[in-house]
Amino acid sequence: MNKVALVSKVSLDEKRAESLMSSIDTERVRETAAPPSAAGAKVQSPPGSFASAARHLVERVGKALEGALPTAVLLAMLLGAWQLACSEPGASLPPPSKVISDTWPLIAHPFYVGNGTDQGLGWQILASLRRVAMGFGLAAVAGISLGVLIGHSKVAFRALDPMVQVLRMVPPLAWLPLSLATFHQANPSAVFVIFITAIWPIVLNTAVGVSNIPQNYRNIAKVLQLTGPEYFFKIMLPATVPYMFTGLRIGIGMSWIAIIASETLIGGVGIGFFIWDAWNSSLMSEIIIALVYVGLVGFALDRLIGAIGRLISRTAGAR
Amino acid sequence: MTLKHLSIESVGVSFPTRDGTFTALRDINLTIAQGEFVAMIGHSGCGKSTLLNVIAGLVEATTGAVLLDGKVVDSPGADRAVVFQDHSLLPWLSVYDNVRLAVDKVSGKSRTRAERHTWTMHNLDLVDMAHAKDKRPHEISGGMKQRVGIARALSMEPRILLLDEPFGALDALTRATLQDKVMNIHATLKNTVVMITHDIDEAVLLGDRIIMMTNGPAATIGQDLTVGLPRPRVRLETANDPAYLTARSEVMRFLYDRFQHPKEAA
């Protein structure tokens, strides 16, 4: 019967999926991997009087504050401990109070414009984000295409998977010398490093998503005689979107890590070089404040991709 | 009535495996007339789903051929709509859109937009699912999903409707309701149906003929029984009809005596 009929095929598919899965197991982000249907529930608001909307808002803000409370308490404790540990003269790191007072001009004027690399923190971060946007955008397009190919075709899988598995193990910075030698300029080199860092999780997750499209959906497509593009948009894309966004989310995090590292070596305007520059001038407070910004921006990027993923999962395939 | 509406001629299916060739089916010869309701029954592993998939064009016959109105069918097509055991609705589409996808694909050229909408709703109405048209598959029960699967298949106006154990995963009460529904639809539309089942009562109640499969590997048709029950059949009255009981015991004898399940026999 068809169980038997599909055994050889299925076991191959499973093997393929497994080998892909095992390689990215730890990188998976649960939230975006949830099936698209799970995100389908809409928030129902009562038919809208202003009062009920206001009450709703207050409730939500209240809940958010309640959720943030433990974090706030812990943060205050850690900052307090740090303050105590580093207040003595001769401490190797400045205490939080000194960090704030030292860097107040930087915090207050994020879009200050000076000469050369002497720019406000906002400009530094924007410069880094611009590189990430370019590199990550390219990685998303190339990664999804390659992932679809690997997931869809067994020949492509056999040909490309070993290469992908080896290349993805090369650390971002190891690409930099090669990149500089090829492009001769700092900016395209940095963009390339981001591209080559972000692409692998996108490729692998997309490939897993595509090869995991249930046989049933493929059978439906066959019975309906969907054409290639119809299959791509009506079945493959909606079925794979959660996987793609898992990859994109891992990819954006890795590209943000990579840009900071490569900028320290490349120089120019950018938050990475800002940190290296501050280290060379022994401005510990500036380093610390830059680290906080880097963390917050990375967090925002991650959430942004996650939110886009949920939005698309919710509307995918709807006419 | 065309006598040879669907004709399966010496079909055999074998697969290459690590331990050599595995023969799932051999020498299947079967002719089905227009409008006939054929139930296929056999122990699990007997290749009945493979046979259905061969008719659907999802599995290729190694030997022999399937002819539909005299033409060889060797690839899937909308003229042979399948209702799968696990309903196979697309979870990201609403009930309406699942059916509409099939309608748009099959009659995108022959019907206007408005007609396709009406046709989609008509088919949802046939299975009493019009009320839930905007629900997503995960929001409705298993029986409802199966009804939508049937609506989707019917909306394709297939020449043959293939049902692959459509009610296997449902509870007995839901199953009875859906069996009645399928009988009504068959009486109204007079379409040709091939249905796989594990359930003897289902086979006898619904089928004009019951095809009994021998055990695999290399399974084939063991017995071809015509059920002499007049239509329309009413569940409660039919249950005590001598013809019903005869057919039922015939199938039981086949399944539990002549061709016991391989595991039970061992």
Side-chain angles (χ1 to χ4, degrees):
Chain A
M1 55 189 302
N2 80 329
K3 278 163 202 148
V4 182
L6 299 170
V7 155
S8 56
K9 216 172 166 190
V10 166
S11 69
L12 222 171
D13 276 356
E14 268 173 10
K15 247 188 224 157
R16 193 147 58 116
E18 253 171 36
S19 94
L20 287 170
M21 291 295 277
S22 63
S23 61
I24 56 151
D25 230 5
T26 48
E27 294 172 356
R28 300 199 87 213
V29 182
R30 271 255 175 86
E31 213 171 322
T32 44
S37 54
K42 276 187 200 134
V43 177
Q44 290 278 330
S45 49
S49 70
F50 177 75
S52 75
R55 202 177 320 127
H56 191 64
L57 188 72
V58 169
E59 256 170 43
R60 284 195 67 168
V61 170
K63 269 208 184 118
L65 284 179
E66 206 177 285
L69 193 64
T71 312
V73 170
L74 186 64
L75 188 64
M77 280 163 59
L78 287 174
L79 285 175
W82 175 9
Q83 181 77 34
L84 285 177
C86 297
S87 342
E88 281 157 41
S92 53
L93 288 178
S97 58
K98 188 160 183 312
V99 169
I100 301 285
S101 60
D102 281 354
T103 59
W104 186 248
L106 283 174
I107 299 170
H109 305 285
F111 293 103
Y112 157 80
V113 178
N115 292 323
T117 58
D118 179 24
Q119 308 290 338
L121 271 176
W123 294 122
Q124 306 274 5
I125 287 170
L126 276 179
S128 301
L129 281 176
R130 201 169 297 136
R131 293 185 185 116
V132 167
M134 283 182 65
F136 180 72
L138 289 173
V141 173
I144 288 175
S145 315
L146 202 58
V148 166
L149 186 69
I150 291 180
H152 198 62
S153 141
K154 288 191 176 89
V155 177
F157 170 79
R158 281 196 209 114
L160 290 167
D161 186 63
M163 283 190 239
V164 170
Q165 298 298 345
V166 170
L167 287 178
R168 75 188 189 89
M169 288 304 171
V170 178
L173 280 189
W175 289 102
L176 196 59
L178 215 57
S179 183
L180 279 167
T182 312
F183 296 104
H184 302 294
Q185 280 171 6
N187 218 27
S189 305
V191 170
F192 175 77
V193 167
I194 288 165
F195 169 83
I196 206 76
T197 306
I199 193 169
W200 310 121
I202 302 174
V203 169
L204 290 172
N205 278 285
T206 305
V208 169
V210 171
S211 67
N212 274 355
I213 295 174
Q215 188 62 40
N216 306 326
Y217 300 169
R218 292 185 230 192
N219 282 344
I220 289 292
K222 280 188 200 158
V223 171
L224 288 177
Q225 290 171 301
L226 296 185
T227 61
E230 280 171 335
Y231 177 70
F232 181 78
F233 286 108
K234 303 220 180 251
I235 309 249
M236 190 190 283
L237 211 54
T240 318
V241 153
Y243 292 89
M244 283 178 190
F245 271 86
T246 301
L248 289 173
R249 222 171 145 176
I250 296 165
I252 195 84
M254 286 173 68
S255 24
W256 188 238
I257 291 168
I259 188 63
I260 306 300
S262 54
E263 277 175 354
T264 59
L265 295 181
I266 287 172
V269 177
I271 192 74
F273 184 66
F274 176 89
I275 292 173
W276 195 245
D277 203 28
W279 163 245
N280 285 331
S281 321
S282 298
L283 298 168
M284 298 312 283
S285 295
E286 289 196 1
I287 295 177
I288 291 167
I289 205 73
L291 291 189
V292 171
Y293 277 36
V294 166
L296 289 175
V297 171
F299 174 75
L301 285 176
D302 179 69
R303 287 302 152 112
L304 180 70
I305 300 291
I308 295 172
R310 273 195 298 279
L311 196 71
I312 291 182
S313 290
R314 210 173 292 173
T315 52
R319 52 184 68 243
Chain B
M1 200 184 253
T2 329
L3 263 177
K4 277 194 171 184
H5 179 46
L6 176 76
S7 129
I8 299 166
E9 299 184 354
S10 22
V11 162
V13 176
S14 40
F15 309 103
T17 64
R18 245 171 271 165
D19 314 321
T21 305
F22 174 81
T23 306
L25 292 172
R26 63 175 173 87
D27 307 324
I28 305 277
N29 284 292
L30 184 63
T31 308
I32 296 171
Q34 172 81 48
E36 219 174 359
F37 196 123
V38 174
M40 254 188 244
I41 198 164
H43 291 293
S44 46
C46 74
K48 48 195 191 305
S49 283
T50 305
L51 183 53
L52 193 90
N53 283 341
V54 170
I55 302 174
L58 294 169
V59 170
E60 213 175 320
T62 317
T63 60
V66 175
L67 286 94
L68 180 59
D69 293 328
K71 278 186 194 141
V72 174
V73 288
D74 50 8
S75 61
D79 53 355
R80 285 151 288 136
V82 189
V83 177
F84 297 95
Q85 175 169 16
D86 65 343
H87 67 77
S88 296
L89 299 178
L90 301 175
W92 51 84
L93 295 180
S94 68
V95 161
Y96 175 89
D97 285 333
N98 263 289
V99 179
R100 181 67 187 263
L101 176 66
V103 172
D104 282 350
K105 187 59 199 169
V106 174
S107 53
K109 283 174 192 142
S110 55
R111 288 191 169 95
T112 65
R113 220 182 143 74
E115 282 168 345
R116 276 179 272 145
H117 169 75
T118 315
W119 181 243
T120 306
M121 290 312 293
H122 170 75
N123 281 285
L124 284 172
D125 262 331
L126 269 181
V127 295
D128 292 327
M129 282 303 291
H131 64 95
K133 71 182 180 69
D134 294 323
K135 292 234 162 77
R136 294 281 180 99
H138 68 96
E139 297 172 308
I140 58 179
S141 70
M144 286 171 148
K145 282 180 206 161
Q146 212 46 276
R147 272 147 68 184
V148 178
I150 293 170
R152 175 172 63 184
L154 289 173
S155 77
M156 294 156 70
E157 298 171 275
R159 284 191 272 176
I160 294 190
L161 186 60
L162 303 170
L163 307 175
D164 189 355
E165 275 182 60
F167 313 134
L170 305 176
D171 65 273
L173 292 176
T174 311
R175 193 185 305 171
T177 319
L178 283 189
Q179 286 165 352
D180 291 346
K181 185 113 261 160
V182 165
M183 270 198 287
N184 285 337
I185 290 170
H186 179 241
T188 319
L189 302 179
K190 313 238 181 300
N191 38 13
T192 312
V193 183
V194 177
M195 170 164 147
I196 286 177
T197 180
H198 269 128
D199 181 334
I200 297 172
D201 286 301
E202 185 169 277
V204 178
L205 183 65
L206 296 183
D208 293 315
R209 272 163 79 195
I210 301 175
I211 306 297
M212 291 167 249
M213 304 280 293
T214 63
N215 291 329
T220 190
I221 295 172
Q223 195 179 342
D224 180 348
L225 177 77
T226 302
V227 181
L229 278 168
R231 289 184 188 272
R233 296 173 185 172
V234 181
R235 179 177 299 275
L236 285 175
E237 294 165 17
T238 315
N240 296 316
D241 192 303
Y244 181 94
L245 297 173
T246 314
R248 195 172 185 279
S249 59
E250 191 73 20
V251 179
M252 286 185 69
R253 191 170 312 128
F254 181 89
L255 289 177
Y256 300 122
D257 188 17
R258 287 177 56 197
F259 288 95
Q260 268 188 45
H261 193 277
K263 274 183 198 149
E264 288 157 21

